[in-house]
Amino acid sequence: MKRASWLIPTIYIIFLMLPIYWLVSMSFKTTNEILGAFTLWPQNFTLENYYVIFTDPSWYMGYVNSIIYVIINTVLSVAVALPAAYAFSRYRFLGDKHLFFWLLTNRMAPAAVFALPFFQLYSAVGIFDTHLAVALAHTLFNIPLAVWILEGFMSGVPKQLDETAYVDGYSFWRFFIRIFIPTIAAGIGVAAFFCFMFSWVELLLAKTLTAVAAKPIAAAMTKTASSSGYELGLLAAAGTLTIIPGAIVIYFVRNYIAKGFALGRV
């Protein structure tokens, strides 16, 4: 029994890591080797795929553009969701439950529904092909999610904390920033993590609302197609690099995510 207690989780982790290992292994192979014989590791190890990505502006600027609009979106989503979640957790008003549910329905809608309206709107106001265009489009999905997560954390904080701060002479914003936000730091970390990951992996809106200047890495990856097929090694290298930002974010918010599963709506 003791042996099975660690053997089964180990097999499960290996099973989950296998696709990642295969992707990384492919990134060090040439396309001919990938399409040729089946190998567990590169027979002719090469860094050419990574060299192309780090030296070609059309490649590495895709990562820069993606990171810029993802950070803008995460900051905007969490900043807007914080006071909204506080209102839902502390006050009761006409239609509060209906409004809360309506927010969640926005999160449930597919991105394809909003692609054309956003395209026409942003083209009309002159922000098409900018980082702000993608960031604002993603807030439609991330703000409801952040509000839902943060409301669960805020509801777990006793209202006596608010009342005590007001008795001590704190203004609302001073109390909210200096006392309340540190109290729900775990919830903010969880909400920021999910906003970051949604914006990082979302493809349809990011490609539809950009052309050249703010083109994300997902759009750059589609150009590997040619008459002779796909450059699989280059695609694998690009895919490997897209995993790194998410892994870094997970590392820094891992403790907050653990608390989120225990305390919040995750």
Side-chain angles (χ1 to χ4, degrees), residues 98-166:
H98 299 288
L99 179 59
F100 192 76
F101 176 75
W102 175 78
L103 280 172
L104 290 179
T105 60
N106 287 337
R107 183 63 181 83
M108 299 171 189
V113 174
F114 303 100
L116 181 58
F118 275 137
F119 176 81
Q120 292 184 321
L121 174 63
Y122 292 160
S123 297
V125 299
I127 61 172
F128 174 76
D129 196 21
T130 63
H131 304 110
L132 183 61
V134 184
L136 289 177
H138 286 175
T139 57
L140 179 67
F141 301 92
N142 280 338
I143 288 178
L145 177 64
V147 169
W148 184 67
I149 293 174
L150 291 170
E151 194 274 338
F153 278 89
M154 292 179 180
S155 296
V157 178
K159 292 184 179 180
Q160 288 78 4
L161 179 67
D162 309 41
E163 297 167 355
T164 302
Y166 298 149

Side-chain angles (χ1 to χ4, degrees), residues 168-215:
D168 290 340
Y170 279 79
S171 64
F172 171 77
W173 287 110
R174 186 184 175 200
F175 153 74
F176 190 74
I177 295 173
R178 299 189 61 181
I179 298 178
F180 196 75
I181 286 182
T183 304
I184 60 165
I188 295 174
V190 172
F193 166 74
F194 281 102
C195 290
F196 182 95
M197 293 309 298
F198 170 82
S199 190
W200 181 253
V201 303
E202 199 281 327
L203 173 62
L204 179 61
L205 291 176
K207 288 191 62 177
T208 304
L209 302 177
T210 58
V212 178
K215 183 171 64 175

